[in-house]
Amino acid sequence: MSERDEFSWNTMVAGYAHSGRLFEAKQLFGVVPRKSSITWSSLISGYCRCGSEAEAFQLFCQMQYEGQKPSQFTLGSLLTMCASNALLSRGEQIHGYAIKTLFDKNGFVNTGLVDMYAKCNRILQAQCLFEAASDRQSHILWTAMVTGYAQNNDGLNAIKCFQDMKAEGVEPNQFTFPSVLTACAAVPASNFGAQVHGCIIRSGFEANVFVESALVDMYAKCGDLKSARIALETMEVDDVVSWNSMIVGCVRQGFEEEALLLFKKMHARGMDLDDFTYPSVLNSYASTGDMGNAKSVHCLIVKTGFEPYMLVSNALVDMYAKGADLLSAFKVFNSMIGRDVISWTSLVTGLAHNNSHEEAIKLFCEMRLAGISPDQIVTASILSACAELTVLQFGQQVHANFIKSGLKSTLSVDNSLVAMYAKCGCIEDANRVFNSMTIRDVITWTALIVGYAQNGKGKDSLAVYHKMIARGTKPDFITFIGLLFACSHAGLVDQGLHYFESMDKVYGIKPGPDHYACMIDLLGRSGKMEEAKKLLNQMDVEPDATVWKALLGACRVHRNLELAERAARALFELEPQNAMPYVMLSNIYSAAGFWENASGIRRLMKERGISKEPGCSWIETNSNVHTFMSEDRNHPMTDQIYSKIDEIMIKIKAAGYVPDLNFALHDVDEEVRELGLAYHSEKLAVAFGLVLLPQGAPIRIYKNLRVCGDCHTAMKFISRVFHCRIILRDSNCFHHFKEGTCSCGDYW
C-alpha cells in the first residue's frame, strides 16, 4: 500500500471518529489494510471525545497488544477524557504508563497530566508536575495551571501563577484570560481584574466573546456594576452568558429593579433566554414581592419550554414560597419530574418562613423518606421551625443526624441550634453550642441574650451583652428587644433605662413599638405606673397592640383599673377579634371583686362573637404529645392522673402550700374554687409526668397561655416535695422549677 493510501485511510477513520459517527469509524477501521499508530489514535480520540471510557481504554490496550506504540496524541486524548469526566484512577493509569515509557518528559503529555489532575481536584499533584516541567515557555501549560487553581477555588494562587507567567515572558491567550478573571471574581480582586483588563486590551483579545463575558462576570461579582455595564455595552455580540452575569450581579448587590430592566431588554432584543436567566429574574421578583409580573414570567417559562429544567423549577418554588403563595409553590413542586435537595429546601424553608412550622417539619420528614439528605440550609430552617414549635426531641434528632452526615457546620446552622435549644428551655445546651462556635455574628449573640432572658436569667443576658460589646460586635434592633425583655423580666429598672437611652444616643437605633412595650412592661411591673404612663404619652411612634398589651399586663399585676380600662379600649379597636384584652380585663375585675363588671365584659365578648382561646398544656414523651385542658378527663390515664393530683395536693399542703383563690376567677363556693385550681391544665400535665416519666427525668411542660400565680406557687412546692425538675414554658417565658425555687425569681 502506498503512503498516500495509508494517509487516505487514516483521514477517513479520523473524519468519522471526530464527527461522532463511531459505528462507521469502527467498521472502516476494521477493513483498514495496515493500521498505524495514527489510525489507532484517530479511533481512540473519537471514543474519548464521546466520553466512551470503556471502549477507549479497551482500544488503548488492544493497540499495545497488537504491537503498536501509542503516541503523545493518543495519551493526550485519553487524558483529556479523564479530565473532562473526572476519571482520576484512569488518569493515574495513563500517568503510570507515561512514566514507564518516558512520555512524562513530553511537554504535550505533561500538560495533559497537569490539566487532568487539576480537574480531578488534585491540585497539589498538578502543581508538582507543573513545577517539574522542562519546557516552561508553553502558554498552554501555564493556562492549564492558572485554570486549575481557578477551578479549585484557589483564586490567590491562580493570580500569582498568572503574574509568574507574565514575569517569565509567556503571553496569555483567549483561554488564559477567562480563567484569571474567574479567579479575580472569586477572591474578589477587582483592582487586579482591572489590570488584567488592561492586558487584554494590549494583547488584542478585547473582542473575543469569551474574554468579554468573563470581564462582565468579574466586574459584576466584584460589585463594580458600573464597569460591568460598560463591558456589557461595548460587546459586539449579545451574549446571553454576559447578560446573565450582569443580572446576577445586580441581584446580589440588591438592585433587583436593575436586574428586571436588563431582563426586559433581553426579551425585547429577542435574545435566547436560557435556564440560567430565569432563576435570577425570579429571585428578583421574590425580593421585590411583585408576584403579578412574576406570574407573567412563569407563563413565559411555560411557553418557551423551560419549566421542566431543574434550575428553573427550583427557582419557581423558591419564588412562590418567598412570596407566601404556598399553593402555587406546591403546584410547581408536585409537577416536577425530579427533585433535588434544593427543591425540597426551597419549599421547607418557605413553609418555615411563613410560620407554617408544623407543615415544614412534615415535609422535611417526607424529604428524608424520599432519600434526600438535608444540606446546611434546610437544616437551619427546620431547626428554626423546631424552635418555634418547641419540639425539643425532634430538634435533637435533626442535630444528631446533621453531626452524623459529616457536613461542615455553617453560621446559620449554629445560630439556629443556639436559638432552638434556648427556645426549648435547654439554655445549657444553647451555651455549649455557642462556646463551640469559631465565628459569631450579632444574630448569634442576640439568640443567647434572648435565650437567657426567656429562661429567667436576665443578669446572664446582660453579661452576654457586655461580652458582645467587648468583642467588637455592634447590637442591632433585635438585640435591644432581647436586652430590654431581660431587664423587664428581672426587674432591672435602672439598667433597662440605661440601655433604652443608649439605643439612639450611642448606636443610632430608633426605638420601635417592641422596645417601648418592654420599657412599659419593665416600669409597670416594677410599680412605676406613672412613669410607664408618661413614657406611653411621649412615644415617638404610634403605640401598637404590643405596647397596650404590656400596659394591660402591668395593670393586672398592680390592679390599676383606670389604666387597664384605657389599654383594653385601645386593644378593642386595634384587634377587635382578639379575646386577650377582654379576658384580661375580666380577670382584673374579678380579682378586684367587681363580679358584675367581669360578667359585663364576658357578655360583651358573647355579643361580639369573640371566643376565648382555651387554656391548654402539653407534654411530650417518646415522640407523642399529650395535651390537657382544665379539669380534663379525656386522657386514657385519667384515673391515675387524678389520683396523682390528690397525692400532690396532700403532700404540698403539708409542706406549706396554700391555694391562692384570687386565681379562681369565678363567683362560686370556696371549696369549688379550690378544686378548680387543683385541676388546672399545667397541674394535670405535671401529674402525668410524675406518673409516666422515670424518676429524676426533667418534666417539660408547655402552656399556650400565661401560667397563673397559684400554679406557679404549686410548681415550686412540687419540685421540692417530689425532688424533680420542672421546666414550664408559658406564653411569656420559661420557668425552671428546682428544689422549691423558680428561675424567674417569682417575677414574671
Side-chain angles (χ1 to χ4, degrees):
M1 178 183 289
S2 69
E3 214 173 283
R4 179 168 182 159
D5 289 333
E6 184 178 328
F7 174 79
S8 300
W9 281 107
N10 289 341
T11 302
M12 287 190 290
V13 171
Y16 279 119
H18 286 195
S19 63
R21 298 169 65 179
L22 296 176
F23 181 76
E24 292 95 328
K26 195 166 187 180
Q27 277 190 322
L28 188 62
F29 177 82
V31 297
V32 171
R34 181 183 166 200
K35 301 178 182 71
S36 66
S37 64
I38 297 173
T39 321
W40 284 92
S41 293
S42 297
L43 187 61
I44 290 170
S45 176
Y47 278 103
C48 288
R49 281 170 178 265
C50 294
S52 302
E53 173 195 353
E55 291 84 351
F57 274 90
Q58 185 180 5
L59 285 169
F60 176 65
C61 294
Q62 189 180 343
M63 173 186 185
Q64 296 171 75
Y65 181 76
E66 294 191 12
Q68 289 291 341
K69 184 180 179 182
S71 68
Q72 59 181 346
F73 302 109
T74 315
L75 300 185
S77 296
L78 291 165
L79 287 170
T80 299
M81 178 182 67
C82 293
S84 300
N85 297 288
L87 305 173
L88 178 62
S89 59
R90 288 290 199 184
E92 288 173 331
Q93 290 174 26
I94 297 299
H95 190 184
Y97 176 84
I99 292 171
K100 289 178 184 177
T101 55
L102 301 180
F103 267 117
D104 61 323
K105 308 299 181 186
N106 180 279
F108 183 79
V109 174
N110 189 59
T111 300
L113 286 167
V114 169
D115 184 56
M116 182 275 296
Y117 278 117
K119 287 181 178 173
C120 290
N121 299 320
R122 294 292 188 272
I123 195 66
L124 289 178
Q125 288 93 322
Q127 185 176 306
C128 288
L129 288 168
F130 172 77
E131 291 173 351
S134 55
D135 179 14
R136 294 284 292 269
Q137 291 303 303
S138 167
H139 66 270
I140 300 173
L141 176 65
W142 282 94
T143 298
M145 199 64 232
V146 171
T147 304
Y149 281 127
Q151 289 177 340
N152 281 271
N153 300 315
D154 191 350
L156 291 175
N157 268 324
I159 290 170
K160 184 180 182 302
C161 188
F162 179 80
Q163 290 172 319
D164 293 342
M165 176 183 183
K166 292 283 292 177
E168 294 199 18
V170 181
E171 287 300 318
N173 62 9
Q174 70 269 31
F175 301 107
T176 321
F177 286 123
S179 294
V180 74
L181 288 170
T182 299
C184 292
V187 171
S190 58
N191 289 337
F192 189 79
Q195 293 175 31
V196 173
H197 192 175
C199 290
I200 291 167
I201 294 170
R202 287 193 296 274
S203 303
F205 286 107
E206 70 271 19
N208 182 280
V209 67
F210 297 108
V211 175
E212 289 178 316
S213 180
L215 275 169
V216 174
D217 184 63
M218 183 274 294
Y219 281 125
K221 285 180 178 174
C222 289
D224 188 353
L225 296 180
K226 183 179 178 181
S227 297
R229 180 176 287 280
I230 292 170
L232 182 70
E233 290 174 350
T234 55
M235 290 181 70
E236 295 179 6
V237 179
D238 278 340
D239 175 53
V240 68
V241 176
S242 305
W243 283 77
N244 287 347
S245 297
M246 189 70 204
I247 289 173
V248 171
C250 289
V251 173
R252 285 178 176 171
Q253 293 293 312
F255 297 107
E256 288 85 7
E257 295 294 342
E258 288 288 323
L260 296 172
L261 284 173
L262 285 167
F263 169 70
K264 289 171 184 174
K265 282 185 181 179
M266 287 180 76
H267 188 48
R269 291 190 186 191
M271 294 176 66
D272 292 327
L273 308 177
D274 62 15
D275 55 324
F276 292 99
T277 312
Y278 288 116
S280 300
V281 172
L282 292 169
N283 194 14
S284 296
Y285 280 121
S287 299
T288 59
D290 186 357
M291 298 305 290
N293 280 319
K295 289 183 178 180
S296 298
V297 174
H298 189 179
C299 292
L300 182 61
I301 288 168
V302 174
K303 287 178 183 177
T304 52
F306 278 100
E307 195 174 30
Y309 285 71
M310 184 78 76
L311 282 173
V312 177
S313 293
N314 285 346
L316 281 167
V317 172
D318 184 62
M319 182 267 295
Y320 280 123
K322 285 178 178 174
D325 188 352
L326 296 175
L327 184 62
S328 297
F330 267 105
K331 281 182 180 178
V332 176
F333 181 81
N334 291 330
S335 68
M336 292 175 70
I337 299 169
R339 304 181 189 117
D340 60 7
V341 66
I342 298 172
S343 320
W344 290 90
T345 297
S346 296
L347 197 52
V348 170
T349 303
L351 288 166
H353 286 175
N354 283 283
N355 297 319
S356 298
H357 304 297
E358 192 171 341
E359 290 80 359
I361 288 176
K362 287 178 181 177
L363 190 67
F364 178 78
C365 293
E366 288 180 30
M367 169 185 164
R368 296 306 310 272
L369 289 172
I372 304 293
S373 298
D375 61 8
Q376 291 94 331
I377 298 172
V378 74
T379 300
S381 293
I382 212 66
L383 286 169
S384 297
C386 292
E388 295 303 320
L389 293 176
T390 60
V391 282
L392 175 63
Q393 290 182 15
F394 191 83
Q396 289 172 323
Q397 291 172 23
V398 172
H399 188 187
N401 286 330
F402 181 74
I403 293 170
K404 289 177 185 176
S405 73
L407 288 171
K408 186 178 179 181
S409 193
T410 61
L411 184 60
S412 61
V413 171
D414 288 337
N415 285 347
S416 295
L417 280 168
V418 172
M420 186 273 291
Y421 280 118
K423 288 185 177 181
C424 288
C426 300
I427 193 64
E428 297 87 356
D429 291 322
N431 198 42
R432 270 193 285 272
V433 174
F434 178 87
N435 289 332
S436 70
M437 294 170 67
T438 54
I439 300 172
R440 305 184 186 107
D441 62 4
V442 66
I443 297 171
T444 321
W445 292 94
T446 300
L448 197 62
I449 288 168
V450 173
Y452 273 121
Q454 288 180 330
N455 282 273
K457 297 179 180 289
K459 291 181 180 178
D460 289 320
S461 285
L462 272 56
V464 172
Y465 172 75
H466 289 296
K467 192 174 180 181
M468 177 184 88
I469 299 300
R471 296 286 177 87
T473 303
K474 289 185 178 180
D476 63 8
F477 192 89
I478 306 297
T479 309
F480 279 105
I481 293 176
L483 197 61
L484 296 175
F485 180 89
C487 292
S488 71
H489 283 71
L492 305 172
V493 178
D494 292 337
Q495 292 94 323
L497 288 168
H498 168 73
Y499 297 131
F500 184 72
E501 289 175 5
S502 73
M503 284 182 64
D504 192 10
K505 289 182 180 178
V506 180
Y507 298 104
I509 300 171
K510 295 291 182 184
D514 288 327
H515 302 106
Y516 281 107
C518 288
M519 287 305 299
I520 287 169
D521 185 59
L522 169 60
L523 294 168
R525 293 201 299 147
S526 300
K528 300 179 182 294
M529 296 301 293
E530 283 304 313
E531 288 90 334
K533 185 178 177 181
K534 183 179 178 182
L535 182 63
L536 176 70
N537 294 330
Q538 292 176 346
M539 282 180 62
D540 293 331
V541 293
E542 190 68 25
D544 66 0
T546 311
V547 175
W548 291 113
K549 286 174 186 175
L551 184 63
L552 189 58
C555 294
R556 178 191 62 83
V557 175
H558 296 286
R559 300 180 184 179
N560 188 317
L561 285 174
E562 182 186 349
L563 270 180
E565 288 169 343
R566 179 186 171 188
R569 282 195 300 271
L571 286 167
F572 293 163
E573 291 182 14
L574 288 169
E575 296 181 349
Q577 293 303 308
N578 187 353
M580 188 279 282
Y582 293 91
V583 173
M584 193 170 282
L585 184 59
S586 174
N587 289 347
I588 291 170
Y589 281 138
S590 298
F594 296 129
W595 301 108
E596 288 187 14
N597 299 64
S599 298
I601 292 294
R602 288 196 291 272
R603 281 196 302 273
L604 186 61
M605 285 180 68
K606 191 173 182 181
E607 288 169 9
R608 295 180 178 179
I610 299 167
S611 57
K612 174 191 172 185
E613 180 185 5
C616 66
S617 301
W618 62 95
I619 181 170
E620 185 181 0
T621 59
N622 299 321
S623 299
N624 293 314
V625 177
H626 302 265
T627 304
F628 301 92
M629 299 182 76
S630 186
E631 302 184 35
D632 196 342
R633 293 183 180 274
N634 294 320
H635 196 278
M637 295 175 63
T638 291
D639 291 342
Q640 292 166 274
I641 291 168
Y642 274 80
S643 176
K644 194 68 176 178
I645 284 286
D646 293 339
E647 179 192 343
I648 289 170
M649 287 300 145
I650 291 169
K651 288 186 176 181
I652 65 175
K653 281 180 180 178
Y657 162 73
V658 178
D660 189 343
L661 298 182
N662 287 320
F663 293 95
L665 302 174
H666 296 287
D667 190 14
V668 292
D669 180 77
E670 186 173 308
E671 185 178 345
V672 176
R673 292 168 72 189
E674 187 174 325
L675 278 175
L677 284 175
Y679 302 144
H680 276 192
S681 63
E682 50 266 63
K683 291 191 181 85
L684 295 177
V686 166
F688 173 76
L690 288 170
V691 169
L692 199 67
L693 294 174
Q695 189 172 0
I699 302 171
R700 297 181 181 276
I701 302 164
Y702 304 93
K703 183 176 173 65
N704 64 332
L705 303 177
R706 193 185 185 99
V707 63
C708 80
D710 178 74
C711 285
H712 190 271
T713 302
M715 295 294 171
K716 291 195 294 182
F717 277 98
I718 294 168
S719 69
R720 177 157 61 88
V721 171
F722 288 86
H723 306 289
C724 62
R725 183 183 174 195
I726 302 169
I727 302 164
L728 169 63
R729 179 182 178 177
D730 66 7
S731 61
N732 205 32
C733 64
F734 272 99
H735 301 268
H736 295 256
F737 300 96
K738 186 179 180 182
E739 297 176 358
T741 62
C742 179
S743 59
C744 74
D746 298 337
Y747 194 90
W748 82 102

